[in-house]
Amino acid sequence: MKQQVMAAAAAVLVAGPAAAQTAAIDLPAQDLASAVRQLARQANVQILVGDREARGRRSNAVKGTMTVAAALDQMLAGTGLAARATGPQSWAVVA
């Protein structure tokens, strides 16, 4: 019985991170700093981007229900930047 309970708990722990939460995102193409702020607000997460990375860059439009990772990938496509998860609800935009 104890082994069954431990196996079930392990299965829940493994399934947790893989089940990424989605959010309804609706962002026009705009300057990158503004896009990052709006995405963070819409998805209820923290996203950090430095002035150096954001300066002079524009985001792509993002619309639909998707994970934060997918939204960031779409937003940053073609900018030379990428997003890295820094915690369960936090991200950093990096060069």
Side-chain angles (χ1 to χ4, degrees), residues 47-59:
I47 307 170
L48 303 175
V49 62
D51 290 339
R52 182 178 48 200
E53 288 79 16
R55 188 176 299 119
R57 289 191 166 102
R58 291 193 55 82
S59 72

Side-chain angles (χ1 to χ4, degrees), residues 20-28 30 32 35-36 38-45 47 58-79 81-84 91 93:
Q21 294 197 4
T22 60
I25 308 298
D26 188 3
L27 301 171
Q30 59 191 303
L32 188 61
V36 167
Q38 287 185 18
L39 176 57
R41 193 174 313 118
Q42 288 183 21
N44 197 31
V45 296
I47 307 170
R58 291 193 55 82
S59 72
N60 297 300
V62 181
K63 185 172 178 113
T65 300
M66 62 191 79
T67 64
V68 174
L72 283 164
D73 285 347
Q74 187 174 334
M75 175 189 291
L76 298 173
T79 65
L81 301 173
R84 303 282 183 252
W91 298 82
V93 176

